[in-house]
Amino acid sequence: MKDMLTIALPKGKLFEDAIPLLQEAGLCTKNLSEDSRKLVIRHEKERLNYIICRPTDIPTFVEYGAADIGIVGKDTIVEQDKDIMELVDLKFGHCRFVVALPETAAKKGRDLTQFNHRRVATKFPKVAESFFAEKGIQVEIIKLHGNIELAPAVGLADMIIDIVSTGRTLKENNLVAVEDIFHATARLIANRVSYRLKHQRIQPVVERIRSLVKDREVTY
């Protein structure tokens, strides 16, 4: 319905930061729990619905209008390149894309041009392709869905591109980040049609969230 607002929320680490922000923005967050098996939470009185799904599915739900707005990491936005509107940098969920090498390889040199025609494992093939193309380095990109750090250890790839927060997982797997690609944070996104048709409903939420994010930055 025209005045019903549907928000897509990601399971996982972004969920915990998203709920307090929505609450402070004046939205009803009752019954929102990552532990709940309910994937659709309805608040009829407030004309508000939530859908809870995998982070990588958020842009698709928003692009096709199943959700009007959503919260998702910039890493997912860049990799998927969906037709959506990016409204606010929420300033949480900080991580960075890095190129990582085995420690033994990094000791011999960190110049990536020496890895021309080598293999790189990643969950983000578009990011990897764009990065190496800009550097004029030809690589074979191997897409994996998890345990990227395993690839160099078993000879599947010579290096990896992945997102890291603390770098602890890299260190535990004898990998070294040798170059940052870009930093990513959570973003508030919107369906283009919804933003136009439900502007009076969406824009006040956007403004409140933007103000809260700005206030937090000043406080910090």
Side-chain angles (χ1 to χ4, degrees), residues 181-215:
I181 300 176
F182 67 84
H183 289 251
T185 50
R187 307 298 166 104
L188 181 69
I189 62 173
N191 173 272
R192 293 188 180 278
V193 175
S194 294
Y195 189 73
R196 186 175 70 251
L197 297 180
K198 300 183 181 182
H199 190 267
Q200 291 184 334
R201 184 75 197 276
I202 294 174
Q203 192 56 29
V205 174
V206 173
E207 292 302 329
R208 288 197 296 269
I209 289 176
R210 185 176 286 129
S211 178
L212 285 167
V213 172
K214 186 176 181 180
D215 288 345

Side-chain angles (χ1 to χ4, degrees), residues 2 12 22 27 46 66 83 90 114 117 127-128 139 158 215:
K2 191 172 182 180
L22 295 174
L27 296 172
E46 291 80 8
D83 185 21
L90 301 177
Q114 66 180 312
H117 301 293
V127 171
V139 295
D158 301 285
D215 288 345

Side-chain angles (χ1 to χ4, degrees), residues 60-210:
T60 301
F61 277 91
V62 173
E63 181 184 34
Y64 284 93
D68 301 305
I69 60 177
I71 291 176
V72 69
K74 179 68 173 179
D75 51 303
T76 301
I77 295 172
V78 172
E79 176 62 27
Q80 296 191 7
D81 194 26
K82 299 287 188 181
D83 185 21
I84 54 174
M85 297 179 67
E86 189 177 323
L87 302 177
V88 185
D89 180 350
L90 301 177
K91 306 293 184 181
F92 62 76
H94 293 270
C95 61
R96 58 196 172 102
F97 272 101
V98 301
V99 182
L101 299 174
E103 289 178 348
T104 52
K107 288 178 181 178
K108 297 176 182 178
R110 301 190 175 197
D111 181 4
L112 294 179
T113 57
Q114 66 180 312
F115 292 94
N116 207 27
H117 301 293
R118 300 289 187 88
R119 291 182 295 187
V120 54
T122 184
K123 288 184 284 188
F124 305 94
K126 286 185 179 179
V127 171
E129 183 179 3
S130 175
F131 172 76
F132 284 110
E134 287 181 8
K135 288 187 168 292
I137 301 173
Q138 294 184 348
V139 295
E140 180 183 355
I141 298 170
I142 300 173
K143 182 177 180 180
L144 297 176
H145 297 280
N147 301 116
I148 306 300
E149 298 82 9
L150 179 63
V154 298
L156 178 62
D158 301 285
M159 54 188 158
I160 67 170
I161 284 182
D162 204 4
I163 51 174
V164 300
S165 297
T166 64
R168 179 180 174 182
T169 304
L170 291 181
K171 189 173 182 180
E172 289 177 347
N173 288 276
N174 302 312
L175 295 168
V176 178
V178 296
E179 189 162 340
D180 284 2
I181 300 176
F182 67 84
H183 289 251
T185 50
R187 307 298 166 104
L188 181 69
I189 62 173
N191 173 272
R192 293 188 180 278
V193 175
S194 294
Y195 189 73
R196 186 175 70 251
L197 297 180
K198 300 183 181 182
H199 190 267
Q200 291 184 334
R201 184 75 197 276
I202 294 174
Q203 192 56 29
V205 174
V206 173
E207 292 302 329
R208 288 197 296 269
I209 289 176
R210 185 176 286 129

Side-chain angles (χ1 to χ4, degrees), residues 18-62:
I19 301 308
L21 181 63
L22 295 174
Q23 210 166 21
E24 289 182 57
L27 296 172
C28 179
T29 58
K30 184 180 179 182
N31 299 325
L32 275 179
S33 171
E34 194 180 5
D35 296 329
S36 173
R37 293 191 178 186
K38 293 185 69 174
L39 301 180
V40 179
I41 310 297
R42 303 184 189 278
H43 297 294
E44 296 292 343
K45 185 179 179 180
E46 291 80 8
R47 314 303 295 159
L48 179 65
N49 290 332
Y50 292 98
I51 58 177
I52 303 172
C53 51
R54 290 168 57 96
T56 51
D57 290 334
I58 297 282
T60 301
F61 277 91
V62 173

